[in-house]
Amino acid sequence: MLKDEVRTRSYMNAIVQNKHLFKDKVVLDVGCGTAILSMFAVKAGAKHVIGVDMSTIIFKAREIVEVNGMSDKITLIQGKMEEIDMPFPKVDIIISEWMGYFLLYESMLDTVLYARDKYLAKDGLIFPDKATIFVAGIEDGDYKEEKIGFWDNVYGFNYSPLKLTALSEPLVDTVDMKAVVTDPAPVLTLDLYKCTTADLAFSCPFDLTARRDDYIHALVAWFDIEFTACHKPIRFSTGPHTKYTHWKQTVFYLKDMLTVQQGEKIECSLHNRPNEKNKRDLDIKIQYRLETQDSTRQAEGTCLYKMC
């Protein structure tokens, strides 16, 4: 993740280029990992940074902080945010790299919101503070055949009962911009100052408009992140139209192949909720309907997916 230049440079610029916001402030780094964001905050003039992480990476992070001469400015605590003893009753700024695949899969957003409600001072800042999920339709016939059609003949045997299982598993991969057939549509926008854990279960109707005559085999999802508190707003995208990030994109294969003409609209809805057994897993339902004058191209369906 440190090698993910889009992600790391965006955080660096948001923090280090805004020293007027960080000077003499107490900062909380939620899920600090190797403490790179904590060190950016010290570089930006923070009075003190508390980094919290459950993982044993915290022991390496302490060594990293020490060799960079910042041990007096950064306190690293191993444990759950909800269970630790904080050395400060309130913090001025929360920084966190909490996003998962499809933004919400295995994300730490619930932990960030807990920290916000318990520790963030009035008028405190959150970096980043805005996230938006987008969806578009893509042509992906060859790969769909390889991933789904594979089960029709497995060394001479019919494994088609596994096709539904394969369809229900979203694929995290990079999508070529040339494969995108429709305009993107936003399906969720989170304002981290206001949202609650209840917002992680959402339903959104949306339309996808075809940019050209083509086929649609799947929907692709990605997210954009914004640091709006910055003097000059900083944002980055994880979409197919921009530089690679370790989040890649998330592909949801449809049961049908949709044959679309330029300008036609596909009516869709996306329903997402955390899995009841494991809240970091996701249960997703996508419904789609293509109505055309040509009855042979009309299609509608419902697909259920599990990110686990």
Side-chain angles (χ1 to χ4, degrees):
M1 283 163 63
L2 288 171
K3 290 179 179 175
D4 184 336
E5 191 183 357
V6 172
R7 163 234 188 226
T8 309
R9 192 166 291 280
S10 297
Y11 273 90
M12 181 181 75
N13 291 342
I15 296 168
V16 176
Q17 290 179 9
N18 290 278
K19 293 182 177 176
H20 63 292
L21 299 177
F22 281 82
K23 185 171 168 47
D24 297 328
K25 295 294 194 293
V26 176
V27 178
L28 172 60
D29 182 357
V30 179
C32 63
T34 59
I36 184 84
L37 304 188
S38 297
M39 291 190 292
F40 287 152
V42 169
K43 202 172 174 184
K47 180 167 77 176
H48 204 85
V49 183
I50 307 103
V52 181
D53 205 297
M54 282 180 63
S55 164
T56 53
I57 192 71
I58 204 99
F59 300 113
K60 279 293 167 198
R62 283 178 186 149
E63 292 178 36
I64 292 164
V65 165
E66 188 173 348
V67 298
N68 284 279
M70 295 183 180
S71 294
D72 58 329
K73 293 277 191 179
I74 298 174
T75 301
L76 296 176
I77 302 171
Q78 186 186 22
K80 275 189 172 182
M81 194 74 238
E82 296 84 351
E83 296 171 1
I84 62 158
D85 292 322
M86 276 280 283
F88 294 84
K90 291 289 176 186
V91 300
D92 303 299
I93 301 174
I94 291 174
I95 55 179
S96 182
E97 198 275 80
W98 55 267
M99 301 81 75
Y101 297 128
F102 185 63
L103 185 66
L104 300 176
Y105 173 58
E106 289 191 334
S107 90
M108 293 191 306
L109 182 56
D110 54 343
T111 306
V112 174
L113 299 184
Y114 173 86
R116 175 198 70 186
D117 295 342
K118 189 167 174 72
Y119 296 114
L120 188 63
K122 189 175 183 295
D123 301 322
L125 300 176
I126 303 174
F127 280 64
D129 61 304
K130 191 176 176 188
T132 306
I133 298 177
F134 292 91
V135 174
I138 60 169
E139 187 284 315
D140 199 20
D142 290 346
Y143 206 101
K144 183 180 180 183
E145 182 57 32
E146 187 182 314
K147 178 177 162 48
I148 312 299
F150 166 80
W151 300 106
D152 287 331
N153 184 340
V154 180
Y155 297 97
F157 298 107
N158 182 347
Y159 266 62
S160 59
L162 282 178
K163 272 174 104 166
L164 275 179
T165 305
L167 273 169
S168 72
E169 295 172 349
L171 178 73
V172 175
D173 204 351
T174 50
V175 171
D176 194 314
M177 186 59 200
K178 289 183 222 160
V180 179
V181 176
T182 73
D183 290 331
V187 297
L188 177 72
T189 298
L190 293 174
D191 176 344
L192 266 69
Y193 292 108
K194 296 175 183 170
C195 70
T196 67
T197 51
D199 297 321
L200 308 188
F202 68 92
S203 294
C204 179
F206 60 98
D207 290 343
L208 295 176
T209 303
R211 291 174 171 172
R212 60 178 185 263
D213 295 1
D214 211 329
Y215 305 100
I216 293 174
H217 301 92
L219 301 186
V220 62
W222 67 90
F223 59 87
D224 290 6
I225 293 296
E226 295 181 52
F227 301 80
T228 69
C230 299
H231 175 65
K232 182 180 174 185
I234 287 173
R235 60 178 60 88
F236 68 87
S237 178
T238 63
H241 56 286
T242 189
K243 271 184 168 181
Y244 171 89
T245 73
H246 75 277
W247 289 285
K248 304 178 186 177
Q249 291 88 45
T250 305
V251 178
F252 300 89
Y253 287 105
L254 304 177
K255 284 186 283 195
D256 301 304
M257 178 184 74
L258 308 182
T259 306
V260 294
Q261 292 184 345
Q262 185 177 359
E264 287 183 340
K265 278 187 166 55
I266 307 154
E267 295 173 19
C268 304
S269 65
L270 189 148
H271 312 267
N272 175 82
R273 62 185 171 88
N275 182 270
E276 286 178 6
K277 290 181 182 171
N278 183 347
K279 65 181 180 177
R280 292 206 168 178
D281 292 347
L282 301 176
D283 295 332
I284 300 164
K285 178 167 77 170
I286 292 175
Q287 295 169 299
Y288 56 90
R289 187 167 89 193
L290 174 64
E291 280 199 356
T292 68
Q293 306 251 326
D294 177 359
S295 60
T296 61
R297 292 193 293 112
Q298 289 186 6
E300 66 178 297
T302 299
C303 298
L304 303 175
Y305 305 92
K306 279 193 182 300
M307 290 193 77
C308 55

